[in-house]
Amino acid sequence: MTVAEEIEVTLEVGQDKDLAAEPYARGAGVEREMHAILEIGVRGHGGAGLAQGRTPGGGPALAEVLIVDTSRSMLFPPAKLHAAKDATAAAVRLLPEGTAFAVLRGHFHAAVVHPGPDQPGLAVAGPGERAAASRAVRILDADGGTAIGTWLDLARRLLKDHPAPVKHVLLLTDGRNEHDDRAAMTLETALDACEGRFVCDAWGIGDDWDAELLLRITRRLHGRAGAVREETELTGAYEELITGLLGTAVPELRIRLTPTPGTVVRRVKQVVPGEQELPPAGGTGRGTEYVTRAWGEEVRHFQVVLAADPTGRERGEDLQLAAVEVAVPDFGHPVRLPRPRPVLVRWTDSPLDASRRHPGVHRQDLYQQASAAVARAYRAWLRGADGRAVADRELARALRLAGDLGDPQLLDALRRIEDTPDAGRIRAGLKDVDWQHLILSSALTTPPRRPAAGPPSAPDVRPAADALVECPDCGWLGPADSVYCGGECGRRLNGPPA
């Protein structure tokens, strides 16, 4: 069985439909915001990942660029550079036969380490090329400063015309992009040029990397940020990263939102496994598409914010605000896609009904509060004794929120900087890098645990995936028990004529 025959995409819409109309409206034309959670999954049923093979046309499915920070600070201590060499060589060894790849070095400028500055394009993985790349990595030295924008731009130029459907960059740095203002290309300019061209994971090593810098890069380039606490951990982390990359099942997936007349899409962002804003990326008709990239066998959650005016609309009836679809651009393999799903609203005058929130929306709010508390605690800690009371208070707040979330990873990261268990105080002797690890941890999110199997529970507030009705006049899609069409025509769908 081929990889393509095994890929399936799933879509669920979670929301609490009730929104307040009167008496909270301050008059006609006052919009309300509906927050919905999209749960999108990709299942490969155990098949080999797309990136391990070749395209139907015979070319490599994966093009990989490995960037090694070789600024002077990588020599202090020398273990950083040694670890970077070991990890990069290990990553090269894992690249499947025929994979297109290159290794870059970065300091004030960027240069190709392999296949060499005078060689056009990318190398093709095989025994000889892998061995040559490893030899070139082993003799790297370190000097100069850090200008990450130039590193990313060289990767962009190498990958620009390559036909591989999966294009990936793995970047390692120990610094803080301190020479951005003197670089040939600033980081912001490079991110503008690179966005949508490839996926970039960014990793920190040593004691002086910047978590916000790594998150800034990966949020723009659809990747993930990480760091190692000890240099010896880097090779294992790289091997895990490349193994995960080779499990890529879908190189790109698009969320298509088609609002009904009078509805405006305010925001779409990924919220699990990390927060990432999704800007509009074109579309067809009234629909707008939002691009997500590099899916393995996984589930991600997205928060959609829609705005609509209740003036003149029916109370207590399910009305459609938008239709949600998932699309996968052609990459040479068929993919089984889910049916479109509606996002609904039920305008109500009941304060109790309108006060309910979907658990996924509430959970994301808690994560945002926890991340903000960590940021405030760090800023207060930087002030020394003057900020100690504020830092302790914000740490205690973040611990409470992590407990409410039931997130063991975040709790563990917070307890690493706590004085003693349950003390709610910051321990003495912390280094700045301890906070950088915590900031990265506070940027990761997890979905709520699914309840264990047991007695039947109350019905889910979400409409069943296949309990839908389509309006024969305007094509509106809604729950099968809808009385009226929530689209343009507003015709009666069920029951006796009005």
Side-chain angles (χ1 to χ4, degrees), residues 54 60 96-101 114-115 122-130:
R54 305 186 75 81
E97 199 82 5
T99 298
F101 79 101
H114 185 82
L122 303 174
V124 178
E129 290 292 343
R130 292 193 198 94

Side-chain angles (χ1 to χ4, degrees), residues 25-50:
R26 294 186 296 271
V30 178
E31 292 182 334
R32 300 287 181 271
E33 286 192 346
M34 165 60 71
H35 294 246
I37 295 292
L38 312 183
E39 183 178 308
I40 300 176
V42 171
R43 295 199 292 250
H45 303 296
L50 167 71

Side-chain angles (χ1 to χ4, degrees), residues 151-201:
W151 312 354
L152 290 172
D153 186 59
L154 179 54
R156 178 191 65 81
R157 285 183 275 130
L158 287 171
L159 294 170
K160 178 168 63 77
D161 296 321
H162 201 280
V166 181
K167 298 180 183 180
H168 182 262
V169 172
L170 178 52
L171 182 154
L172 176 73
T173 183
D174 76 330
R176 295 179 175 261
N177 203 36
E178 57 190 346
H179 298 102
D180 192 58
D181 58 336
R182 291 159 40 193
M185 177 175 284
T186 66
L187 178 58
E188 191 60 31
T189 301
L191 291 175
D192 288 341
C194 295
E195 189 169 8
R197 305 288 183 175
F198 55 79
V199 172
C200 179
D201 292 332

Side-chain angles (χ1 to χ4, degrees), residues 206-355:
D207 290 340
D208 198 34
W209 50 273
D210 181 357
E212 291 298 340
L213 171 65
L214 301 185
L215 290 169
R216 178 184 171 195
I217 292 169
T218 54
R219 284 170 174 165
R220 287 289 299 278
L221 302 183
H222 293 253
R224 301 187 185 183
V228 291
R229 294 182 181 273
E230 302 292 337
E231 285 85 357
T232 54
E233 298 173 352
L234 187 64
T235 294
Y238 264 36
E239 289 174 341
E240 185 176 344
L241 281 165
I242 296 298
T243 300
L245 173 66
L246 297 181
T248 300
V250 176
E252 180 180 301
L253 185 152
R254 292 174 175 247
I255 300 169
R256 183 178 298 144
L257 289 173
T258 304
T260 54
T263 301
V264 177
V265 180
R266 292 290 186 213
R267 191 178 195 185
V268 179
K269 66 175 178 178
Q270 178 182 288
V271 293
V272 174
E275 188 169 310
Q276 182 179 80
E277 295 288 341
L278 300 182
T284 57
R286 296 200 315 272
T288 302
E289 293 185 341
Y290 301 81
V291 179
T292 67
R293 302 186 190 279
W295 287 71
E297 290 193 54
E298 61 180 306
V299 175
R300 302 182 195 175
H301 290 194
F302 302 85
Q303 185 172 0
V304 172
V305 182
L306 305 172
D309 181 0
T311 304
R313 305 295 286 179
E314 292 285 342
R315 303 291 196 266
E317 301 287 348
D318 285 348
L319 304 175
Q320 180 167 313
L321 291 180
V324 184
E325 298 175 79
V326 174
V328 175
D330 181 21
F331 60 100
H333 299 283
V335 178
R336 192 190 316 164
L337 296 174
R339 292 176 57 189
R341 302 286 190 267
V343 180
L344 305 171
V345 67
R346 186 163 50 212
W347 298 112
T348 177
D349 297 325
S350 166
L352 180 61
D353 289 344
S355 66

Side-chain angles (χ1 to χ4, degrees), residues 69-74 105-108 142-146 178-179:
D69 185 339
T70 56
S71 61
R72 185 170 178 78
S73 60
M74 287 289 284
R105 63 176 298 177
H107 43 92
F108 282 125
D143 196 14
T146 304
E178 57 190 346
H179 298 102

